[in-house]
Amino acid sequence: SYELTQPPSVSVSPGQTARITCSGDALPKQYAYWYQQKPGQAPVLVIYKDSERPSGIPERFSGSSSGTTVTLTISGVQAEDEADYYCQSADSSGTYGVFGGGTKLTVL
Amino acid sequence: EVQLVQSGAEVKKPGESLKISCKGSGYSFTNYWIGWVRQMPGKGLEWMGIIYTGDSDTRYSPSFQGQVTISADKSISTAYLQWSSLKASDTAMYYCARQLAVAGNMGYFDYWGQGTLVTVSS
């Protein structure tokens, strides 16, 4: 079945920019969404439709898309951004959804 | 206020059946999809399937097709995830989430339940 590929981990210092990628063959056809999950909590949507930011999500979170790769960018990373991040999309026909394997963001 | 409230933690033995629930409130339940997401201990999120609560149209991930059943009772604004014969490998946290539709695309989960921990052990 369809898969999305994310790097297992990304590390940045506070104030720097973190970029988390997600690759999949169907991403040119299907939107990507990003979720943040902190330990012991349910996931929270941080980006929808590749680059839209829900209300209440800080402006430092942004998303972009290029071909078969989408990217979540966190500018001016803060300690509170340390979490697991997951991309989500669907197979090319939009029949079923899929999550990427997740990326653990560490703020050094 | 949109809320999804899931049923409590379960401890079951292999081979037993189980049905967990997710009750929606604060919005028009039958106008949205509800999805289920598995998270095994220390692992990532897995998209299991979704149900349109208005007409019970259901979609499953190939990984979960035939392994679980998703259903809904719109009269009580509740969605369900059930197993007929649990395995130890079903031990996980299960989240329900409301899916917002996106034209021509699979939608995204905008509100999540608190999760139901299912433990399967002999």
Side-chain angles (χ1 to χ4, degrees):
Chain A
S1 58
Y2 181 55
E3 293 183 354
L4 296 172
T5 302
Q6 297 181 233
S9 63
V10 168
S11 299
V12 295
S13 298
Q16 289 191 326
T17 296
R19 293 181 180 85
I20 300 172
T21 59
C22 171
S23 299
D25 289 342
L27 287 175
K29 298 180 182 178
Q30 294 288 331
Y31 284 125
Y33 314 108
W34 290 93
Y35 302 88
Q36 175 194 69
Q37 187 182 34
K38 296 182 178 179
Q41 298 182 18
V44 172
L45 179 74
V46 294
I47 293 290
Y48 66 100
K49 290 201 291 186
D50 292 346
S51 59
E52 301 292 322
R53 193 174 54 251
S55 60
I57 300 301
E59 291 184 7
R60 63 180 181 273
F61 287 86
S62 64
S64 61
S65 175
S66 179
T68 59
T69 299
V70 293
T71 303
L72 172 68
T73 300
I74 310 171
S75 305
V77 167
Q78 300 182 7
E80 67 197 51
D81 300 329
E82 186 164 285
D84 294 324
Y85 291 86
Y86 296 90
C87 61
Q88 182 228 318
S89 187
D91 70 305
S92 58
S93 61
T95 303
Y96 62 91
V98 62
F99 284 99
T103 299
K104 181 174 181 57
L105 175 65
T106 299
V107 182
L108 300 170
Chain B
E1 178 194 9
V2 174
Q3 283 193 313
L4 295 172
V5 179
Q6 298 185 229
S7 49
E10 301 273 2
V11 179
K12 304 293 267 187
K13 290 181 169 27
E16 292 185 333
S17 63
L18 176 65
K19 192 173 189 178
I20 62 175
S21 66
C22 169
K23 183 173 178 60
S25 63
Y27 71 100
S28 179
F29 186 75
T30 55
N31 286 348
Y32 291 85
W33 296 79
I34 291 283
W36 287 94
V37 176
R38 182 174 80 175
Q39 187 166 38
M40 299 175 75
K43 302 298 185 182
L45 305 176
E46 298 176 90
W47 196 99
M48 301 178 71
I50 53 173
I51 185 165
Y52 187 70
T53 55
D55 62 7
S56 292
D57 181 15
T58 310
R59 316 278 173 85
Y60 292 94
S61 164
S63 300
F64 291 94
Q65 180 82 49
Q67 307 304 308
V68 296
T69 301
I70 295 171
S71 61
D73 184 341
K74 60 186 179 183
S75 69
I76 55 172
S77 301
T78 301
Y80 301 97
L81 177 66
Q82 68 180 88
W83 296 259
S84 58
S85 181
L86 286 160
K87 303 184 283 288
S89 57
D90 292 318
T91 294
M93 180 71 80
Y94 293 88
Y95 292 101
C96 68
R98 189 182 80 166
Q99 179 169 289
L100 207 59
V102 175
N105 277 259
M106 180 64 64
Y108 55 93
F109 298 126
D110 60 347
Y111 287 91
W112 294 67
Q114 82 277 19
T116 296
L117 181 62
V118 174
T119 303
V120 184
S121 175
S122 55

